[in-house]
């Protein structure tokens, strides 16, 4: 039986998508506004993008954000993958319950609590706040997301493949690197992309753990928006939307290509 579309269903979908995406469309449109007043359309112009790339404060914040996101996502992916392997492969070891709770705690803990607790930790150990404190904080809260993604793939992994490799003389570590890792690699990449995106988007935790010279782009945008939205903010947000959209499209195309190749084998 095929589902029939009623006017109520169509209206609900239209209203829902409009509520979600109309503000984004308006933001993109007004980033090309000639006028400095973001609510008054005065003609098409790209001058705010050229001024954006001359704004050294925003460029420095963007560079800090990218570096923090790349380093934290890479480290969190390694640690999260190892944590997922430990939770799936070793179901009985002393302290497993505590370890599981520590891995998953950032998923349910409010960001304010996480940021404040990390701030108190850095102050207690006299660790100067700056680039590395923000990076460590992002590793802490993004690790659990990587662990969840990789663990969901390891649960369905056929361990007999790894056992067969070891029966043929392959050491356990080499069997994991040559057999298990290639199979779960899409999940690992997905975890890295999720951790990278979460780091780019974070404002609360970075605000607690940042210091001189470690202002991230979300912090910079928030500080300027408090004084009023400017076309430059619309321009930088439009660029972020374009980057995220491009990443999603590339990931979708790679997934379709992988599925197509798998069906043809």
């Amino acid at each position: 039986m095929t589902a029939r579309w009623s006017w109520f269903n169509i209206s609900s979908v239209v209203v829902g998508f409009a509520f979600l995406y109309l503000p984004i469309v308006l933001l993109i449109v007004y980033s090309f506004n000639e006028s400095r007043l973001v609510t008054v359309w005065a003609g098409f112009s790209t001058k705010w993008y050229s001024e954006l790339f001359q704004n050294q404060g925003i460029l420095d914040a963007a560079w800090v954000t990218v570096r923090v996101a790349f380093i934290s996502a890479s480290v969190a992916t390694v640690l999260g993958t190892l944590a997922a392997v430990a939770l799936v492969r070793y179901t009985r070891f002393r302290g497993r319950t505590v370890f599981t709770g520590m891995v998953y705690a950032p998923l349910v803990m409010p960001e304010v609590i996480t940021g404040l607790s990390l701030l108190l930790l850095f102050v207690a150990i006299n660790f100067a706040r700056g680039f590395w404190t923000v990076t460590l904080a992002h590793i802490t809260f993004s690790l659990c997301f990587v662990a969840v993604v990789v663990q969901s793939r390891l649960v369905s992994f056929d361990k007999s493949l790894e056992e067969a490799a070891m029966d043929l003389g392959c050491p356990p570590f080499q069997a994991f690197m040559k057999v298990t890792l290639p199979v779960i690699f899409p999940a690992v990449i997905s975890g890295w992309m999720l951790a990278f995106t979460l780091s780019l988007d974070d404002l609360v935790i970075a605000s607690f753990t940042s210091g001189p010279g470690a202002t991230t782009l979300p912090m910079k945008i928030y500080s300027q928006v408090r004084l009023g939205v400017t076309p430059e903010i619309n321009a930088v947000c439009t660029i972020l939307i374009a980057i995220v959209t491009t990443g999603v499209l590339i990931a979708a195309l790679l997934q379709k290509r992988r599925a197509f190749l798998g069906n043809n084998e």
Side-chain angles (χ1 to χ4, degrees):
M1 178 181 294
T2 59
R4 299 180 60 182
W5 284 86
S6 64
W7 284 108
F8 177 78
N9 293 335
I10 296 175
S11 301
S12 300
V13 172
V14 171
V15 171
F17 277 105
F19 179 78
L20 291 174
Y21 296 108
L22 185 58
I24 298 177
V25 173
L26 292 176
L27 182 147
I28 296 174
V29 170
Y30 279 103
S31 69
F32 296 99
N33 188 11
E34 174 73 23
S35 174
R36 177 169 287 275
L37 300 175
V38 294
T39 57
V40 178
W41 180 258
F44 182 86
S45 176
T46 59
K47 68 176 183 179
W48 302 115
Y49 287 88
S50 62
E51 291 192 12
L52 171 64
F53 288 104
Q54 295 175 3
N55 190 324
Q56 194 60 41
I58 292 180
L59 294 179
D60 291 341
W63 177 234
V64 170
T65 301
V66 172
R67 285 189 297 155
V68 169
F70 182 82
I71 296 174
S72 63
S74 301
V75 176
T77 299
V78 175
L79 297 179
T81 301
L82 295 177
V85 172
L87 292 174
V88 173
R89 298 290 178 83
Y90 306 100
T91 57
R92 295 182 180 179
F93 62 88
R94 183 175 298 178
R96 186 182 189 279
T97 303
V98 177
F99 178 73
T100 303
M102 293 176 63
V103 170
Y104 293 142
L107 282 172
V108 296
M109 189 175 297
E111 290 187 348
V112 174
I113 302 301
T114 302
L116 180 59
S117 60
L118 289 171
L119 172 61
L120 295 176
L121 172 64
F122 294 140
V123 172
I125 64 177
N126 198 22
F127 194 170
R129 285 177 291 162
F131 175 84
W132 290 111
T133 53
V134 178
T135 303
L136 290 173
H138 284 193
I139 293 172
T140 300
F141 83 85
S142 60
L143 183 152
C144 59
F145 292 92
V146 178
V148 170
V149 174
V150 177
Q151 185 179 2
S152 63
R153 181 63 185 90
L154 281 171
V155 170
S156 60
F157 175 74
D158 188 2
K159 194 177 178 181
S160 61
L161 298 175
E162 190 174 311
E163 294 174 349
M166 290 188 289
D167 289 340
L168 295 174
C170 191
F173 178 77
Q174 192 174 1
F176 176 82
M177 296 298 295
K178 292 187 175 181
V179 178
T180 306
L181 186 59
V183 176
I184 67 172
F185 193 69
V188 175
I189 293 298
S190 299
W192 186 91
M193 293 180 64
L194 179 59
F196 186 83
T197 304
L198 291 171
S199 179
L200 286 179
D201 182 63
D202 177 67
L203 170 64
V204 178
I205 295 178
S207 298
F208 278 98
T209 57
S210 65
T215 301
T216 62
L217 188 57
M219 294 171 58
K220 187 71 174 179
I221 294 174
Y222 178 72
S223 63
Q224 293 193 5
V225 167
R226 293 173 63 186
L227 302 176
V229 180
T230 63
E232 289 182 355
I233 298 299
N234 289 342
V236 70
C237 292
T238 300
I239 293 175
L240 290 175
I241 293 171
I243 294 174
V244 172
T245 303
T246 302
V248 171
L249 291 177
I250 292 175
L253 292 175
L254 291 176
Q255 185 176 3
K256 288 185 177 180
R257 183 175 180 272
R258 183 181 180 87
F260 177 78
L261 295 176
N263 294 331
N264 291 337
E265 291 180 353

